[in-house]
Amino acid sequence: MASVPLVAEGATIQVSSNLQGAIDAASSGDTLIVAPGAYEKITIGKSLKLIGNGAMIRAGDRDACVSVEADGVEISGFLVRDGFYGIKLDNVKGCKLDNNTVIRCVQPGIALLFSNRNTITGNNASFNGLGGEGWYGIYLSNSNNNLIDGNMASGNGAYGICLFPSCNNNTITRNVLQGNMYGLYMFRDCSRNRIESNVMSNNINSGLDLRINCTDNLILNNIMEKNAVAGITLMEMSGHNTINENRLTGNNRYGLQIQSGSDGNIIINNSISDSQTGIFLESSGNVIYGNRITENAVSADDRGKNSWNADYPKGGNLWSDYHGKDEMSGPGQDIPGKDGFGDEPYGINEMSQDKYPIMGNQEKQILVTDKSVSPASARIGDSIAVMARIKSKYKISQASVNAFRLGSEAKGYARLIPTGDLYQGKFSTALLDPGSYEMVLRARDERGYELRETLGNIEVGSRSGGFSSLK
């Protein structure tokens, strides 16, 4: 961050009326202490420091409340409301906005247009852009090397913070962005920005969304939770970003989704949990390792060509639904001795796998603690009693038992009725042919996660004859 341009230390002026007149009469370097009261829109064309002491600046819905047209302006402690813009920085540098509340503006609460090396800290830019014309809490356009730190931007028409277009090398840290459509939205050619330690939650689309050639950004140590679509979305050629040490939890559809040519991203050391799909990839060349991917209905959906582990001994990811053993070690997992990685790969799809799944307190989302099938042999037309005791983090929405023979599903099924954690039902063999069958439980929770587990085997004989020896 460049320093504010040096100016001579000026006078301190008390202002209680006609704020624009006081600004016009002041000299560069002066400090204006503005008394409580309501003031009309202002334009600042020289390097001044304005401190609001219970002061409110209000404008009509086609005007900016505060227009900053000079370098080195500082504004703190004001309530700014109801204008077309709240505070607008236009082609300036070295300005500082601190501890202002900017609300109910038609367009951005705070806007930086073609403005570089400014500091925006501790402001509340909420409930702006609600009239259908605008969208922004804090808006950067063609602005670079700015610090956006410790602000609140909630309940805005679309974006808590928006960068569009060509905003580079900005640092966006420690902001709370919640209850917007998007928490932080970067659109078209925004690169090398540092997005760190923000909270992006309860937004009605995604917490963080990068679109159209937003590349080489660092996304570090943020919390994205309870967003309606995704924690993080990368779309339309937004590749080569680093996504590191973030917590993505409870996002409705995706923890992380990467699509439409957004290739070559690095996704490491994140915690991704409690979503319908943990990671969705429709791009290629992404590298994913060191992540905790837990308790998602679908852990990962890879429709591209991506790498799910680093070379040994860095390894892959921790998957809550991996239940392999760790008895071997080495790059080929063929040397006796534990090494903290599962001996068998974790399968993503037919083409992709995590060669070194990390071991570590994996727990099943749905766990069968007791089960039985009785009797183990029956005649066609008899009923088989099936039982399972099921523990589940989320409510079980459906439990049933199907019969499989030689890997193929047979006709008929039994729906299990719950009493507490005890699920029971009767399976009729009337539609089966003679032979041996595997009885398989299907239990689905309310979030869509499904467990399949064998409860036991039965031998079915014909009504008039003996039991078949077919297997």
Side-chain angles (χ1 to χ4, degrees), residues 83-87 102 105-111 128-129 134-139:
F84 189 72
Y85 289 84
I87 303 175
V102 188
C105 296
V106 176
Q107 279 271 348
I110 296 172
N128 299 288
W135 310 295
Y136 316 99
I138 300 174
Y139 174 50

Side-chain angles (χ1 to χ4, degrees), residues 203-206 227-231 233 251-255 257 275:
N203 297 288
I204 62 174
N205 200 293
S206 296
N227 297 290
V229 176
T233 296
N251 299 290
N252 192 34
R253 292 182 61 187
Y254 309 105
Q257 68 166 333
S275 296

Side-chain angles (χ1 to χ4, degrees), residues 222-243:
N222 302 280
I223 297 172
M224 294 89 160
E225 61 182 5
K226 298 180 181 179
N227 297 290
V229 176
I232 299 175
T233 296
L234 307 182
M235 302 279 282
E236 299 164 299
M237 312 295 289
S238 292
H240 302 284
N241 299 285
T242 298
I243 301 172

Side-chain angles (χ1 to χ4, degrees), residues 34-319:
V34 184
Y39 299 84
E40 296 181 351
K41 65 179 182 178
I42 59 173
T43 298
I44 306 171
K46 61 190 75 171
S47 178
L48 298 173
K49 182 175 183 178
L50 276 67
I51 300 175
N53 182 18
M56 177 179 68
I57 300 174
R58 197 168 192 172
D61 63 8
R62 307 314 302 173
D63 296 313
C65 296
V66 180
S67 295
V68 178
E69 299 177 355
D71 298 342
V73 171
E74 298 185 27
I75 302 171
S76 65
F78 286 86
L79 170 62
V80 179
R81 60 175 300 165
D82 300 326
F84 189 72
Y85 289 84
I87 303 175
K88 180 175 70 170
L89 278 59
D90 193 353
N91 197 23
V92 298
K93 61 182 181 293
C95 295
K96 182 177 181 180
L97 307 181
D98 175 59
N99 196 33
N100 301 285
T101 296
V102 188
I103 59 172
R104 303 292 178 183
C105 296
V106 176
Q107 279 271 348
I110 296 172
L112 281 68
L113 313 177
F114 296 90
S115 295
N116 304 326
R117 296 188 291 278
N118 301 284
T119 301
I120 314 298
T121 60
N123 303 281
N124 183 352
S126 298
F127 308 111
N128 299 288
L130 300 180
E133 184 174 350
W135 310 295
Y136 316 99
I138 300 174
Y139 174 50
L140 281 68
S141 179
N142 296 280
S143 296
N144 308 308
N145 297 293
N146 298 285
L147 173 63
I148 315 297
D149 177 66
N151 303 283
M152 168 75 76
S154 300
N156 295 287
Y159 313 112
I161 297 177
C162 179
L163 281 63
F164 165 73
S166 301
C167 295
N168 306 305
N169 297 304
N170 297 286
T171 299
I172 301 175
T173 60
R174 301 190 307 152
N175 302 284
V176 177
L177 314 173
Q178 59 188 14
N180 309 284
M181 181 178 294
Y182 299 89
L184 172 55
Y185 190 84
M186 297 171 60
F187 184 66
R188 194 178 292 279
D189 304 323
C190 296
S191 298
R192 300 180 302 281
N193 298 286
R194 185 181 185 93
I195 314 301
E196 182 175 3
S197 299
N198 302 280
V199 176
M200 309 175 205
S201 63
N202 294 293
N203 297 288
I204 62 174
N205 200 293
S206 296
L208 173 63
D209 197 302
L210 279 63
R211 300 192 180 211
I212 306 184
N213 198 38
C214 290
T215 62
D216 299 296
N217 298 286
L218 174 60
I219 303 163
L220 174 66
N221 194 35
N222 302 280
I223 297 172
M224 294 89 160
E225 61 182 5
K226 298 180 181 179
N227 297 290
V229 176
I232 299 175
T233 296
L234 307 182
M235 302 279 282
E236 299 164 299
M237 312 295 289
S238 292
H240 302 284
N241 299 285
T242 298
I243 301 172
N244 185 15
E245 295 184 357
N246 301 281
R247 190 177 83 196
L248 288 68
T249 183
N251 299 290
N252 192 34
R253 292 182 61 187
Y254 309 105
L256 170 64
Q257 68 166 333
I258 301 178
Q259 294 182 259
S260 53
S262 297
D263 301 336
N265 297 286
I266 299 173
I267 300 112
I268 54 174
N269 303 325
N270 302 283
S271 176
I272 303 172
S273 65
D274 290 311
S275 296
Q276 179 64 30
T277 301
I279 300 179
F280 177 81
L281 295 178
E282 206 170 50
S283 298
S284 297
N286 298 285
V287 178
I288 308 105
Y289 66 91
N291 304 284
R292 293 180 57 87
I293 305 167
T294 61
E295 298 185 358
N296 302 285
V298 177
S299 293
D301 184 351
D302 185 356
R303 303 183 184 184
K305 295 181 179 179
N306 299 283
S307 175
W308 290 90
N309 56 262
D311 292 338
Y312 192 89
K314 283 188 176 180
N317 305 277
L318 187 148
W319 308 87

